[in-house]
């Protein structure tokens, strides 16, 4: 097995991984491994923007309150405080590095999204905010001599010895290499691809959560999956997001009879919390026996729409939907996982030498439901914090044994793809926006048939991803079964009330005989 040594290893090149790399570069050699081309990540596709209390009408205290309210009682207040207070300096620093956010005259332009009580969302090139962040961060990383980037390298597992993480095994082409490091930062993003309907790009298969779990990391809040209400639903179109900022600018939801309906579900109408809007859409789809509703911008000024949402306008046109003239068929899709590898405020996990940041992590900042556009900010703030904390990891001098990582004989490609397809469908149908004991148990039973996959090491990225998707799916179901109540984005039709002990967080750890619960003060 080829062996590579570095001071710091970062797994993932989205906003969180890149920001951590920048922080670490002055202190030693940094390697960033990434599964695909460097830009392929959720970050690259982020549309609406980045929430930050920088406008004249805003304050960090108000951003704090809105985040806590969206989190529905389960945010860790100290984490939210860090997010909103360190957000402004992280954004100003990004502007110094070359980020160009949209302006009105000479002033930054802020938009509105659901559950924000102020216009506080910065955006770039209208609806390409994530692409701008990725561009600036990659350029910054490229300028740092100490940072090496390995593309098309998928982390398989962590190298763990005596409770300490010493790096990771990585699949490079079809070879497994061992990268040793003083500290390792998981920044692999979320797990949207576990569901058949999702806004997430193909790389987002829950790898970091599964890798962390296998190594003994604690996972938290896995039942909280956020579904985005408005995703394009047109024949042969991809599951393309239609930013919430469109509703922030005045777009209206209509059912298939072209009737506005959302006011019947929540007084905040189009800007009600995401989980409420997603469930309202499902309910309206059931009522009208349809597989979609419409997003309507036809009453808005066409030139404004084209200028404000250029990427959405041109992408929809490619699928024969003209957003300034036509009603846009939409339905919800899995979008964001609030849960993940449990960390403290500095990205430290329960495993020495292992840090996590961004969507893979659970700092508690989002509670049971993430406030829109808080995750790019989270990647910047907690990516930087994880980097800062990882600097102090001691150099490991004791010898330790490497695992053999023999490639298992595995089912044919054909079988893998069949299982992958079935897994995603089951997760969407049984563990989606509305769940209940029966649907969750059905899903659990079906997934158990494929548990042999969990003990295998694969020589292909698709195989590895399948194992990770299965792991994460099992954990989401386990947590969703344990939470016998409805809080934030987790909705149980058999327990529509919050339920007893709703304030606790569900913690899952491999080989623990008992599930642990933790209360936030
Ligand atoms: P990502 O940006 O997803 O990066 C993960 C990286 O890890 C990728 O480089 C990936 O290739 C790599 N990786 C994964 N597995 C492995 C492995 N095994 N080995 C090596 N590398 C691996 N949030 C907002 O705040 N505002 C928005 O406007 C917004 N819009 C969104 C629009 C879309 C379509 C989507 C999908 C999400 C949006 N979000 C938005 C959410 C936000 O983009 C993500 O939560 C955030 O970008 C996550 O950043 P990250 O660095 O944690 O992960
Ligand atoms: C959007 O633009 O609607 C996505 C924003 C987010 O998920 O934070």
């Amino acid at each position: 097995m080829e062996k590579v040594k570095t001071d710091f290893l970062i797994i993932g090149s989205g906003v969180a991984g890149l920001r951590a790399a920048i922080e670490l570069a002055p202190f030693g050699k940094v390697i960033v491994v990434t599964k695909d081309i460097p830009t392929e990540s959720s970050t690259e596709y982020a549309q609406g923007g980045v929430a930050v209390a920088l406008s004249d009408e805003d304050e960090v205290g108000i951003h704090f309150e809105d985040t806590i309210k969206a989190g529905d009682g389960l945010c860790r207040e100290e984490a939210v405080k860090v997010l909103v207070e360190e957000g402004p300096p992280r954004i100003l620093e990004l502007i110094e590095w070359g980020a160009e956010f949209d302006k009105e005259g000479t002033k930054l332009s802020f938009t509105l999204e659901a559950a924000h009580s102020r216009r506080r969302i910065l955006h770039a090139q209208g609806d390409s905010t994530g692409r701008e962040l990725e561009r600036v961060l990659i350029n910054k990383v490229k300028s740092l001599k100490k940072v090496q980037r390995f593309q098309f390298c998928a982390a398989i597992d962590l190298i763990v010895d005596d409770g300490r993480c010493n790096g990771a095994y990585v699949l490079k082409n079809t070879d497994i290499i061992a990268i040793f490091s003083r500290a390792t930062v998981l920044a692999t993003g979320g797990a949207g691809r576990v569901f058949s309907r999702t806004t997430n790009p193909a790389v987002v298969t829950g790898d970091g959560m599964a890798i962390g779990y296998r190594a003994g990391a604690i996972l938290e809040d896995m039942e909280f999956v956020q579904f985005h209400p408005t995703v394009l639903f047109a024949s042969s179109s991809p599951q393309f997001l239609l930013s919430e900022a469109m509703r922030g600018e005045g777009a209206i939801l209509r059912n298939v009879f072209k009737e506005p309906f959302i006011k019947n579900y929540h007084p905040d109408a189009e800007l009600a919390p995401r989980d409420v809007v997603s469930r309202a859409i499902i309910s309206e789809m059931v009522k009208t026996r349809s597989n979609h509703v419409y997003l309507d911008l036809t009453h808005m000024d066409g030139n404004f729409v084209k200028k404000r949402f250029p990427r959405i306008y041109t992408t929809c046109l490619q699928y024969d939907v003209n957003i300034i003239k036509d009603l846009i068929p939409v339905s919800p899709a899995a979008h964001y996982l609030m849960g993940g590898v449990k960390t403290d405020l500095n990205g430290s996990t329960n495993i020495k030498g292992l840090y996590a940041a961004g969507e893979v992590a659970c700092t508690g900042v989002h509670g049971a439901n993430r406030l829109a556009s808080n995750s790019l900010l989270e990647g910047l703030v907690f990516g930087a914090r994880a980097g800062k904390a990882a600097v102090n990891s001691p150099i490991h001098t004791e010898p330790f044994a490497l695992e053999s990582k023999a490639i298992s004989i595995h089912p044919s490609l054909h079988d893998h793809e069949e299982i992958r397809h079935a897994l995603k469908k089951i997760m969407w149908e049984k563990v989606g926006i509305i769940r209940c004991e029966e649907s969750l148990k059905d899903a659990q039973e079906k997934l158990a048939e494929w548990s042999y996959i969990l003990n295998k090491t694969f020589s292909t990225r698709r195989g590895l991803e399948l194992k990770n998707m299965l792991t994460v799916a099992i954990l989401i179901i386990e947590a969703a079964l344990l939470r016998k109540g409805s809080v934030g984005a987790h909705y149980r039709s058999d327990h529509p009330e919050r339920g007893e002990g709703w304030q606790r967080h569900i913690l899952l750890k491999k080989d623990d005989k008992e599930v642990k619960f933790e209360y936030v003060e």
Side-chain angles (χ1 to χ4, degrees), residues 447-505:
L447 265 53
E449 286 175 25
W450 303 318
S451 57
Y452 65 93
I453 288 174
L454 301 176
N455 302 318
K456 301 196 176 293
T457 300
F458 292 89
S459 60
T460 61
R461 177 172 138 187
R462 299 284 290 177
L464 277 173
E465 286 177 348
L466 176 61
K467 174 171 155 178
N468 293 333
M469 288 162 73
L470 182 60
T471 306
V472 170
I474 289 170
L475 294 171
I476 293 174
I477 294 169
E478 192 170 335
L481 274 166
L482 284 163
R483 185 171 288 282
K484 294 188 195 307
S486 297
V487 185
H490 170 73
Y491 185 81
R492 291 265 308 244
S493 55
D494 51 346
H495 294 284
E497 304 304 326
R498 293 185 158 247
E500 210 181 307
W502 67 270
Q503 300 95 332
R504 64 195 184 181
H505 291 264

Side-chain angles (χ1 to χ4, degrees), residues 380-402:
L380 290 170
V381 168
F382 289 94
R385 280 191 154 239
K388 206 166 271 161
V391 166
N392 300 319
S393 300
I395 296 172
H396 191 82
T397 48
E398 300 292 314
F400 53 86
L402 281 180

